[in-house]
Amino acid sequence: MAETIAVLFSAYLLDLVIGDPVYSAHPIRLLGYGISRMERVLRGLGLGGRGGGILLAGIMGIFFPGACIGLERLFSCLDPWIGALFKVYLCYSFLALGDLFRHVRPVIGHLSLDHLLLARKQISLVVGREVDRLDKFAVARAAVETLAENFVDGFLSPLFWYLAGAHISLLTRTPPCTTALFFMALFKTASTLDSMVGYRNERYRHFGWAGAKLDDAMNFLPARISLGLLFAGAVFSGARPVKGLKTALRDRLKHDSPNSAHAESFLAGALEIRLGGPTRYPGGVKNRPWLGTGTEKVQPAHIKKTLTLLTFSAWISICIGMVPFLLVY
């Protein structure tokens, strides 16, 4: 189990220091390319409904994790050190916290200097909504919302499934780190499927159903666990942990997704702001419910405090995740 801890910790540090560089051979980009090609094949065969979507989720859910582990096993057989480095590379590629922080931090400076156009341009790199009409408060609100949502999707859920896979390996008698990476890759498959085909529009309402449901299922426990970790982060960051928890327990199920409002509603309460509300996307305005009862005038200071809170929560998550391996194994 020592290798499992070393790989995770190394990957986490790399993610914080380097972030997620854009290059064509990135595992998630290759996964996205594979999903696009497979979608075209299935639609070409007349399988553009729910059945085709189930096939897409099943094929990619087997192929991508299998390819990752197949390469890991190959490199490990060629040389243990090459195999170890590839494990770190995979784990690092599946975490997406540092890059998110790196994209959001400049928004604080732009808003503080009243450079609204630059703030809009910067936040457009990490949100899917239309930004051209956002005022400074809406830009700050979008920054806090994307930090909250992606803390679960981009960090906590991959971490959860990595740790879960390591524990499952004790039952399956498979290599712990290899099994951990398999489940991590499976989660990233579900997450990428949801982001690419999990829309409720005419084209994907049925075809994207399976990918969206798989993503919901794999985020279900991490989203709820996030409340405890965010509570701890709020204690250390000077936010309002009790108010955050009360707000989350009241508002966490207000979104259409069973998971997406958990972290957002906690942060709304802990920072005494309101998140959500009517949001303009390329397809039109979506009347999202408001989360929290605080001010709608979200400030750069709220973004800064969110970054601090999530940083504490991330480190606490890593440390708690490692405890069983250090004490039991």
Side-chain angles (χ1 to χ4, degrees), residues 2 43 75 93 98-99 103 107 117-118 135 155 173 176 193 202 224 231 262 291 302 310:
R43 289 187 183 277
F75 290 138
S93 298
D99 205 53
H103 277 92
V107 176
L117 292 179
L118 291 176
D135 62 19
F155 171 74
R173 298 184 181 278
L193 281 166
E202 189 63 29
R224 285 145 184 83
F231 186 95
H262 283 70
L291 307 176
H302 292 119
L310 295 184

Side-chain angles (χ1 to χ4, degrees), residues 30-39 42 53-67 185-186 188-190 192-193 214:
L30 295 176
L31 170 61
Y33 176 75
I35 290 172
S36 296
R37 290 297 299 268
M38 186 55 62
E39 178 186 352
L42 291 170
I54 292 173
L55 275 175
L56 176 67
I59 292 169
M60 298 311 300
I62 294 171
F63 176 78
F64 181 70
L186 179 61
K188 295 303 292 187
T189 303
T192 307
L193 281 166
L214 180 60

